[in-house]
C-alpha cells in the first residue's frame, strides 16, 4: 500500500466501507420484503425498480459526466445514499407493512439512479489518483477487497441481527456511507475543471459523440464485449446457484453458504496472485478462459466439494482478466472523455446482467441447471479463445507499457 497515493487510499477506503454498507442493506432488503409479503414476485419487482430506471438514466446521462467535478460528485452521491438508507426505517415507523414497502421501493429507486453515476466516475478517477504502471494492481486491489466485503457482509449482518431489529440494519448502512463520504473528502483534486454552460444542443451533440467515440476504439469495444459475457454469467448464476446446490446436489443451506463464499475468497487470492505474474495479453485471456471453464465444469460435477473447488478456481482466475482489461480501458481511452466512455462501458456491462437473470430463470429454453451453467461458461470461453488467437492489438498495448 505504500506505493499508492493518499488520494487512492481515500478512494479505496471509501469503496470498502460503502460496499459493506450496501451489501448489508441489500441482504436486509430481501429478508425484510420477504418477511412482509412472502412473495417471490415482490422480490422481482424490487430488483426491477432498481435496474430499469438505472439503465434508462445511464443510457442518456453519459455526456454530463465529462462536465462535472468528479470528486465532489461522488461525495455528494455518498451523502444521498446515506440518507436514502433511512427511508425503510422511516416507513416502518409510519406503517409497519405498507410504509416499509414504500420505503424499500424508494430506497431501491434512489440507489439505482446513483450507482451507475458513482461507478462511472470512480472508475474514471482511478487514473488520476494512481500511477499508470500501477493501474492493473490498483484495479485488482479495489475489485478484490470489494468482493471480500460482499463475502464478509452476510456474517456481519447476521451478528447485527442478533443484537438489533432488522430495520435498524439500515442505520448501519447509513453510517457506512457517511464514513465513505468522510474518506472521499481526503482526496485531493488533480485539476480544476471549468464546467461549460449546459444546453440541449450540447447534450445531444455530446451524447452522439460519446457513443461514436466508444465504437471507434475497436479494442476497447472488444474488451467491453468480453467483460459483458462475464456479467451475463454473474446474472445467470444469481438464479442458478441455490437450486444447483440445494436440488441438483441435494446440499444443505450451510453447504450453499460455502459455495457462495468460495468465489469471493478465490477472487482475493487472485488479486494477490496478480502481483506476482506477468501482465500480458496471454495471461489476461487465460484468466478469462479459465474462469469460463470453471462454469463449464459445473455441468459435470457430481459432488459438492467439487462444486466448491470450481467456484474457488473461477474466483482466482477472473481477476487476471478483469483487472488488466479495466487498466487498458482507463489508460487507452481519451482522457478528456474517460468519464463518458466509462459510463457507456458500464451500461453494456449492466445490461447483460439482467439478460443473464432472464436467461437462467425463464422456462422458454427448457434447460436444466447444469445445461445452463454449461452454456454460460461457453459464452465466456469461446469469445475468449477467438480473441486470444485472432487479435493482437491489445498485446501490443500491453507490451508498450
Amino acid at each position: 500500500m505504500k506505493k499508492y497515493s493518499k488520494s487512492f487510499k481515500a478512494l479505496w477506503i471509501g469503496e470498502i466501507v460503502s460496499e459493506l454498507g450496501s451489501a448489508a442493506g441489500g441482504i436486509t432488503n430481501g429478508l425484510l420484503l420477504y418477511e412482509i409479503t412472502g412473495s417471490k414476485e415482490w422480490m422481482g419487482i424490487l430488483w426491477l425498480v432498481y435496474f430499469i430506471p438505472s439503465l434508462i438514466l445511464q443510457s442518456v446521462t453519459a455526456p454530463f459526466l465529462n462536465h462535472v467535478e468528479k470528486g465532489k460528485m461522488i461525495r455528494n452521491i455518498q451523502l444521498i445514499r446515506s440518507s436514502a438508507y433511512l427511508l425503510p426505517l422511516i416507513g416502518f415507523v409510519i406503517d409497519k407493512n405498507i410504509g416499509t414497502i414504500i420505503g424499500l421501493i424508494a430506497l431501491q429507486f434512489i440507489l439505482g439512479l446513483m450507482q451507475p453515476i458513482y461507478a462511472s466516475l470512480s472508475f474514471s478517477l482511478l487514473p488520476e489518483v494512481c500511477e499508470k504502471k500501477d493501474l492493473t494492481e490498483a484495479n485488482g486491489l479495489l475489485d478484490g477487497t470489494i468482493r471480500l466485503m460482499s463475502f464478509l457482509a452476510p456474517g456481519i449482518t447476521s451478528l447485527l441481527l442478533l443484537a438489533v431489529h432488522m430495520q435498524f440494519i439500515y442505520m448501519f448502512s447509513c453510517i457506512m456511507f457517511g464514513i465513505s463520504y468522510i474518506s472521499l473528502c481526503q482526496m485531493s483534486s488533480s485539476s480544476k475543471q471549468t464546467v461549460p454552460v449546459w444546453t440541449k444542443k450540447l447534450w445531444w451533440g455530446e451524447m452522439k459523440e460519446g457513443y461514436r467515440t466508444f465504437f471507434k476504439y475497436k479494442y476497447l469495444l472488444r474488451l467491453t464485449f468480453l467483460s459483458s459475457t462475464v456479467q451475463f454469467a454473474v446474472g445467470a448464476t444469481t438464479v442458478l446457484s441455490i437450486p444447483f446446490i440445494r436440488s441438483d446436489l441435494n446440499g444443505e443451506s450451510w453447504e450453499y453458504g460455502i459455495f457462495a463464499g468460495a468465489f469471493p475468497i478465490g477472487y482475493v487470492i487472485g488479486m494477490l496472485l496478480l502481483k506476482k505474474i506477468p501482465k500480458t495479453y496471454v495471461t489476461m485471456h487465460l484468466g478469462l478462459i479459465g474462469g469460463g471453464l470453471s462454469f463449464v465444469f459445473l455441468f459435470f460435477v457430481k459432488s459438492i466439494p467439487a462444486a466448491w473447488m470450481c467456484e474457488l478456481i473461477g474466483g482466482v482466475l477472473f481477476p487476471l482478466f478483469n483487472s488488466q482489461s479495466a487498466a487498458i480501458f482507463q489508460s487507452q481511452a481519451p482522457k478528456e472523455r474517460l468519464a463518458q466512455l466509462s459510463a457507456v462501458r458500464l451500461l453494456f456491462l449492466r445490461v447483460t446482467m439482467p439478460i443473464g437473470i432472464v436467461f437462467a430463470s425463464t422456462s422458454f429454453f427448457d434447460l436444466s441447471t447444469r445445461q445452463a451453467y454449461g452454456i454460460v461458461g461457453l459464452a465466456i470461453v469461446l469469445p475468449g479463445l477467438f480473441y486470444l488467437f485472432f487479435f493482437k492489438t491489445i498485446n501490443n498495448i500491453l507490451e508498450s507499457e
Side-chain angles (χ1 to χ4, degrees):
M1 287 298 293
K2 290 182 179 180
K3 66 180 177 179
Y4 297 114
S5 67
K6 178 183 176 183
S7 292
F8 173 80
K9 293 174 183 176
L11 179 64
W12 179 60
I13 294 170
E15 292 273 9
I16 290 174
V17 293
S18 64
E19 179 62 26
L20 184 58
S22 178
I27 292 167
T28 309
N29 286 348
L31 290 172
L32 189 56
L33 185 65
Y34 195 76
E35 184 180 274
I36 294 172
T37 65
S39 166
K40 292 187 292 184
E41 287 76 13
W42 267 106
M43 302 287 287
I45 290 171
L46 199 63
W47 277 110
L48 288 176
V49 167
Y50 178 89
F51 269 114
I52 292 177
S54 173
L55 293 173
I56 292 172
L57 179 69
Q58 189 170 0
S59 65
V60 298
T61 56
F64 292 94
L65 302 184
N66 286 331
H67 304 278
V68 298
E69 187 181 332
K70 299 172 190 175
K72 181 179 180 181
M73 178 64 78
I74 64 173
R75 289 194 294 270
N76 290 340
I77 287 173
Q78 297 302 68
L79 281 182
I80 293 170
R81 294 203 282 194
S82 177
S83 302
Y85 273 100
L86 296 177
L87 293 175
L89 187 57
I90 295 171
F92 175 76
V93 172
I94 295 172
D95 184 277
K96 184 177 180 180
N97 293 329
I98 301 299
T100 301
I101 292 174
I102 293 173
L104 285 171
I105 291 173
L107 170 63
Q108 287 290 87
F109 182 78
I110 293 171
L111 294 180
L113 294 180
M114 295 295 104
Q115 173 58 22
I117 299 174
Y118 180 88
S120 299
L121 290 176
S122 62
F123 182 85
S124 63
L125 260 175
L126 199 56
E128 298 181 18
V129 300
C130 183
E131 295 289 337
K132 184 178 179 180
K133 62 182 176 63
D134 297 324
L135 272 177
T136 297
E137 290 185 15
N139 277 290
L141 179 61
L142 279 172
D143 207 7
T145 48
I146 285 173
R147 290 179 187 272
L148 181 60
M149 289 303 104
S150 68
F151 170 74
L152 294 176
I156 294 172
T157 305
S158 299
L159 291 175
L160 289 172
L161 287 172
L162 294 174
V164 300
H165 197 276
M166 191 182 299
Q167 283 83 353
F168 289 96
I169 301 297
Y170 293 113
M171 288 295 298
F172 172 77
S173 296
C174 174
I175 292 169
M176 289 297 101
F177 277 94
I179 294 172
S180 176
Y181 167 80
I182 294 170
S183 178
L184 293 173
C185 286
Q186 309 307 309
M187 291 176 57
S188 58
S189 178
S190 61
S191 62
K192 293 184 178 179
Q193 183 182 27
T194 302
V195 180
V197 177
W198 198 256
T199 67
K200 182 178 179 181
K201 182 179 179 180
L202 175 62
W203 170 80
W204 179 242
E206 284 286 294
M207 176 111 168
K208 290 190 296 183
E209 184 60 28
Y211 281 94
R212 187 182 298 118
T213 303
F214 183 83
F215 284 100
K216 186 169 68 176
Y217 287 83
K218 300 299 183 183
Y219 53 93
L220 298 184
L221 181 61
R222 291 199 293 269
L223 284 177
T224 301
F225 168 70
L226 292 175
S227 296
S228 295
T229 64
V230 178
Q231 290 305 305
F232 171 78
V234 170
T237 55
T238 59
V239 177
L240 298 172
S241 57
I242 293 177
F244 179 66
I245 295 296
R246 299 285 279 138
S247 298
D248 285 59
L249 298 178
N250 298 313
E252 301 294 335
S253 296
W254 66 270
E255 291 173 311
Y256 166 72
I258 296 176
F259 181 77
F263 188 90
I265 290 297
Y267 211 96
V268 174
I269 297 171
M271 177 193 74
L272 299 174
L273 179 64
L274 191 61
K275 298 179 180 180
K276 306 295 183 182
I277 65 170
K279 298 169 184 62
T280 68
Y281 175 82
V282 173
T283 58
M284 181 175 73
H285 280 74
L286 288 180
L288 177 72
I289 295 164
L293 286 174
S294 71
F295 290 118
V296 174
F297 290 152
L298 289 173
F299 176 85
F300 300 100
V301 300
K302 300 295 183 182
S303 69
I304 291 176
W308 293 344
M309 188 58 63
C310 285
E311 283 293 281
L312 182 69
I313 292 172
V316 170
L317 293 174
F318 272 124
L320 307 185
F321 170 77
N322 290 343
S323 299
Q324 292 189 77
S325 63
I328 291 173
F329 195 100
Q330 290 160 336
S331 61
Q332 297 301 314
K335 192 170 292 292
E336 70 278 4
R337 288 192 174 274
L338 181 54
Q340 184 180 16
L341 297 181
S342 299
V344 177
R345 172 185 180 270
L346 185 61
L347 174 64
F348 280 94
L349 301 190
R350 299 184 78 240
V351 163
T352 49
M353 188 171 177
I355 292 175
I357 293 172
V358 172
F359 165 78
S361 58
T362 183
S363 59
F364 176 78
F365 299 101
D366 195 27
L367 297 171
S368 69
T369 303
R370 291 178 179 275
Q371 290 169 334
Y373 266 124
I375 292 172
V376 163
L378 290 175
I380 298 173
V381 171
L382 296 180
L385 287 170
F386 178 76
Y387 286 126
L388 173 62
F389 291 110
F390 292 99
F391 289 94
K392 298 297 182 183
T393 305
I394 301 171
N395 189 31
N396 296 332
I397 293 168
L398 283 166
E399 290 177 350
S400 65
E401 292 183 351

